[in-house]
Amino acid sequence: MKAYFGRRYMLSASHRLHVDAMSDEENRAAYGKCNNPHGHGHNYTIEVLVGGAVDPETGMVMNLTDLDAVVQTKVVERFDHMNLNHDPMFLNQVPTTENLCKEVFRIVSGELPAGMLEYVRVEETENNFFECYAA
Ligand code: NI
């Protein structure tokens, strides 16, 4: 049987949705006010779910301190209070929350035992959320 453990993290960051290869008009049409040259910020909630067998000795799927060590150092410290457009990860891709979610999944899954990361969910606003799954 597989058990699941989820944990939430918060970070605040700014971004501007703009693709250099598109004209200003195309950018405005695609992104609306999110294309504002001055950017805007979000308080993102990042939810991470890991799954696996419960360790018979510890009684845990994964120790939360181990998960925190990964997510805090590799994700929260990297992006919190940053302009996402300036992160090398977003130099060649627009920092939509779909792309942020995808990259967080890639970063975290690369640090965990293979196959443990089930999904990453990023809440951008009260009404918008994005999810990336292992398969
Ligand atoms: Ni935004």
Side-chain angles (χ1 to χ4, degrees):
M1 182 206 280
K2 206 167 179 181
Y4 298 89
F5 165 50
R7 193 148 163 82
R8 320 187 88 197
Y9 303 86
M10 319 288 247
L11 66 87
S12 301
S14 65
H15 67 173
R16 180 194 183 203
L17 303 185
H18 183 88
V19 175
D20 288 338
M22 286 163 39
S23 70
D24 286 350
E25 267 180 23
E26 287 170 327
N27 271 293
R28 273 193 298 272
Y31 301 120
K33 61 186 180 179
C34 296
N35 182 242
N36 177 325
H38 302 292
H40 61 277
H42 292 287
N43 296 315
Y44 295 99
T45 299
I46 296 183
E47 202 174 281
V48 172
L49 187 81
V50 296
V54 177
D55 184 301
E57 190 177 331
T58 65
M60 296 187 281
V61 171
M62 182 178 186
N63 194 312
L64 73 84
T65 57
D66 294 338
L67 185 60
D68 281 359
V70 169
V71 182
Q72 289 289 352
T73 58
K74 305 289 182 183
V75 176
V76 177
E77 286 174 20
R78 176 169 181 173
F79 298 118
D80 192 30
H81 287 75
M82 295 297 192
N83 179 337
L84 297 179
N85 296 73
H86 293 171
D87 189 283
M89 181 172 288
F90 294 113
L91 292 181
N92 295 311
Q93 62 178 341
V94 64
T96 58
T97 304
E98 288 91 329
N99 278 336
L100 177 63
C101 190
K102 191 183 78 179
E103 293 298 343
V104 169
F105 188 101
R106 194 179 57 75
I107 293 168
V108 175
S109 66
E111 299 287 331
L112 298 183
M116 275 209 88
L117 183 60
E118 297 286 339
Y119 76 68
V120 169
R121 171 187 169 97
V122 181
E123 292 179 10
E124 181 187 55
T125 68
E126 269 182 27
N127 298 319
N128 292 355
F129 60 88
F130 302 86
E131 298 183 336
C132 289
Y133 292 85

